[in-house]
Amino acid sequence: MKQNLTTVLLLGAVLFSGIAHSQDSAKTGNTTEKKIRNIDGVAAVVNTGYVTRKEIDDRIVMLQKQGTKLPDSTNLRSLILDRLIIEKIQLQNAEQEGIIVTNKELDRIIGDIASKNKASYAEFKSKVIATGLSFERYKQNLREDIIVSRYRERSVDTQIKISDAEIDNFIADRMRAMAGGGDQRSAPPVKGGPEEIDVAQIFIPVDAGAGASAQAEAKKQAEALLRDAKGDVDFLQLGAAAAKENPKIKFQALGYRSPDRLPQLFYEAVRNTGGGQVAGSVVKSPAGYHVLKVLDRRAIGVAPAQQASTQEPVSTTPQNIPITQTMSRHILLKNRPGLTDQDAERRLQGYRDQVRAKTADFGELAKKYSEDGSAPNGGDLGWMSPGDLVPEFEQAMNRLQIGEVSNPVRSEFGWHLIQVLERREAQLTVEKQREFARAAIRERKFEQAYQDWVRELRDTATVKILNTDDAADAALR
């Protein structure tokens, strides 16, 4: 479902999509910036192109119409400008590599989007115009999104390599974790003995010269992430989600290190933290704020399978694993302009109340209102194994009893109302485990590869920031 939903999302879950990744480094270039600023309202020169202040205004309005929660920060316009600069660089490079979307291909894609929204091409065009955006502007936005996606796939996706040994190690770690419980992957060292610590971090950078408000905002973000990290979530997935919202945020697993190879601030923070646990407080360094989690602790020089333990040795030979599969159905309201989070929650809560009061059938509501391919089947998703669904959906589904309906649940695809129909015990085959491992490793590698790629794009481009002020304000000067 995760891959299918991702494809649907690309083709039309969002009418006005934006590529939300950027970095905070820039090269300066010589230009007649004062003349450009006064005449054309240019906010930044990007290689041979430029970003205008009106583009920043339009992007903010677009996000507001989508119901996107914007950061409460005086740096909002700078953050939006960063995104637009990265988009501009990607489009310029894609053009140089000959990546294009023809008018015929674009019309076919829009036709597919209209069909998925149960509308004709003409009806869909009218819906777009009703949002206040011209249809030509919509087509241009969509064309650029597709071009950037293809350029990213060519530049990043094809560079990710996953070996059989990595898959074997991933499965072995999961089997040890399942046998030992929690996130702890190996037995702890003898108290006081030499050890290595595997630490992961989510890092919110702050410039050394940043003012008190910027420092406070970064600390607030870090403390919010720390609270989330203490819940039932995957720490690195939490970091990936945070980085998508704010590309300046970094996340990484540092790997096994002896205490002397860890930053002193980090070691002091995790000295008494057990494997699988989060450090009790945010760590402040000269570079910013760090949220830390100890993934594992082990004795130096001793492989996990060789460490002393009161338990029987855990076999890491691939084998079928008993799992619980769930059959569920859902009603999906996709992210789109004109539908705020509040509206989506209110609508789904209304459907939930009808089902609980037995004045409506969940399947009939799904057929009528769900906005994905499962609608004709009453929202039925079939039998799902652990890891088949996006984390937010799966976690909410796992908390439900058979027949129970969830509260509205938000995921990257929109808002869901979930009902569990049945559960059964099954076997996760070795082949399926390897498929899951490959996908998980690829996702982990992609986040880092993508951030490195964006950083390289920005570092090799010539960018000159001129003026990010609001266009209306600038016109008064």
Side-chain angles (χ1 to χ4, degrees), residues 321-328 382-389 394 397-398 400 402 420-429 432:
I321 297 175
I323 59 169
T324 298
Q325 291 183 321
T326 303
M327 178 182 285
S328 67
W383 289 104
M384 291 292 168
S385 301
D388 284 347
L389 301 164
E394 185 167 322
M397 180 184 71
N398 289 342
L400 297 174
I402 293 175
V420 169
L421 300 176
E422 194 176 347
R423 286 194 172 94
R424 71 182 182 187
E425 298 304 312
Q427 294 284 325
L428 183 62
T429 65
K432 187 69 174 177

Side-chain angles (χ1 to χ4, degrees), residues 23-24 202-208 210 214-215 218-219 221 246-250 285-290:
Q23 297 295 324
D24 59 349
I202 302 174
F203 170 50
I204 298 88
V206 183
D207 294 336
Q215 292 279 352
K219 183 178 180 181
Q221 282 185 297
N246 179 0
K248 291 185 178 182
I249 293 177
K250 309 295 188 297
S285 76
Y289 294 87
H290 309 257

Side-chain angles (χ1 to χ4, degrees), residues 284-337:
K284 174 70 171 70
S285 76
Y289 294 87
H290 309 257
V291 180
L292 305 177
K293 180 173 183 177
V294 175
L295 301 179
D296 193 24
R297 304 181 85 110
R298 71 182 184 188
I300 290 179
V302 182
Q306 298 173 322
Q307 292 190 35
S309 175
T310 58
Q311 301 177 348
E312 291 295 319
V314 177
S315 171
T316 57
T317 303
Q319 55 188 286
N320 290 355
I321 297 175
I323 59 169
T324 298
Q325 291 183 321
T326 303
M327 178 182 285
S328 67
R329 54 188 178 181
H330 78 148
I331 300 171
L332 171 66
L333 300 182
K334 294 176 182 176
N335 296 315
R336 64 175 185 275

Side-chain angles (χ1 to χ4, degrees), residues 404-418:
E404 188 179 1
V405 180
S406 72
N407 287 314
V409 176
R410 188 143 179 14
S411 80
E412 60 191 278
F413 303 108
W415 284 88
H416 311 258
L417 196 67
I418 309 166

Side-chain angles (χ1 to χ4, degrees), residues 8 10-16 106-135 138-139 142 334-337:
V8 172
L10 173 62
L11 290 180
V14 184
L15 290 178
F16 315 104
L106 186 63
D107 284 338
R108 178 184 59 77
I109 292 172
I110 294 175
D112 290 340
I113 295 172
S115 177
K116 287 181 171 64
N117 283 273
K118 302 178 179 63
S120 67
Y121 190 101
E123 290 170 338
F124 184 74
K125 179 178 179 179
S126 297
K127 289 182 179 180
V128 171
I129 295 173
T131 66
L133 186 74
S134 74
F135 195 61
Y138 165 74
K139 291 175 68 175
L142 181 60
K334 294 176 182 176
N335 296 315
R336 64 175 185 275

